Amino acid sequence: MFDVLVYLYETYWRPDACPDPVQLQRKLTAVGFEREEIREALQWLAGLSVAAESVAAQTQASSLRVYTRDELEHLGQASIDFISFLASAGVLPPALREVVLDRAMAIAGGPVDLEDLKIIVLMVFWSSGEEPDALILDELFVAPEDRLIH
């Protein structure tokens, strides 16, 4: 599923640039993605759209987030730490943080792999029409061992 999401991000610069779901499914099949992988990704994206709409009206300047036991177990410490880092850096507002959490909780299994969470964060920014700044893109894409230290 995550490969499909990354493909969509790289191919369509905004969600509204994507074709309708039927045509998109055909294109993804033609590119070589498996039917089940496409189905999961499209369902996940539909949930992303619903979650984004439900928090669009929220304009909280700041908030304190307390995680439930289920969230702690499902997300894992590395993912929670990364979400906290983004929020404390001021790049993940509370409303978008809640969308990230909603979509991460929608992933089967657990704990959520940090690399998968980064894709979720990227797709949340993508769905909101926002481009994260260069430093955040670096955090989302570049492996720590590949970073140059200045």
Side-chain angles (χ1 to χ4, degrees), residues 28-139:
L28 292 170
T29 300
V31 171
F33 291 109
E34 306 261 337
R35 175 170 283 180
E36 182 65 19
E37 192 176 23
I38 295 168
R39 184 191 62 74
E40 287 177 5
L42 293 180
Q43 282 182 333
W44 188 89
L45 284 171
L48 174 58
S49 178
V50 169
E53 287 175 16
S54 70
V55 298
Q58 297 179 15
T59 58
Q60 303 162 337
S62 65
S63 70
L64 173 66
R65 181 62 156 85
V66 178
Y67 294 92
T68 67
R69 181 181 311 257
D70 288 343
E71 289 171 333
L72 291 170
E73 290 174 7
H74 188 77
L75 295 170
Q77 193 60 51
S79 292
I80 289 172
D81 289 347
F82 188 71
I83 292 168
S84 297
F85 161 72
L86 293 176
S88 67
V91 297
L92 189 63
L96 287 183
R97 180 193 61 214
E98 292 307 310
V99 175
V100 167
L101 291 171
D102 175 79
R103 295 292 75 211
M105 293 300 289
I107 302 300
V112 174
D113 183 72
L114 182 57
E115 295 308 309
D116 293 344
L117 179 77
K118 289 178 178 184
I119 294 169
I120 291 168
V121 170
L122 187 65
M123 293 308 291
V124 168
F125 278 113
W126 179 77
S127 73
S128 68
E130 294 184 33
E131 179 76 22
D133 67 33
L135 293 175
I136 297 307
L137 284 173
D138 187 51
E139 282 295 324

Side-chain angles (χ1 to χ4, degrees), residues 8 11-12 14-25 27 42:
L8 292 174
T11 305
Y12 302 102
R14 291 188 343 229
D16 58 356
C18 290
D20 67 82
V22 173
Q23 190 176 23
L24 181 58
Q25 187 168 5
K27 285 186 177 207
L42 293 180

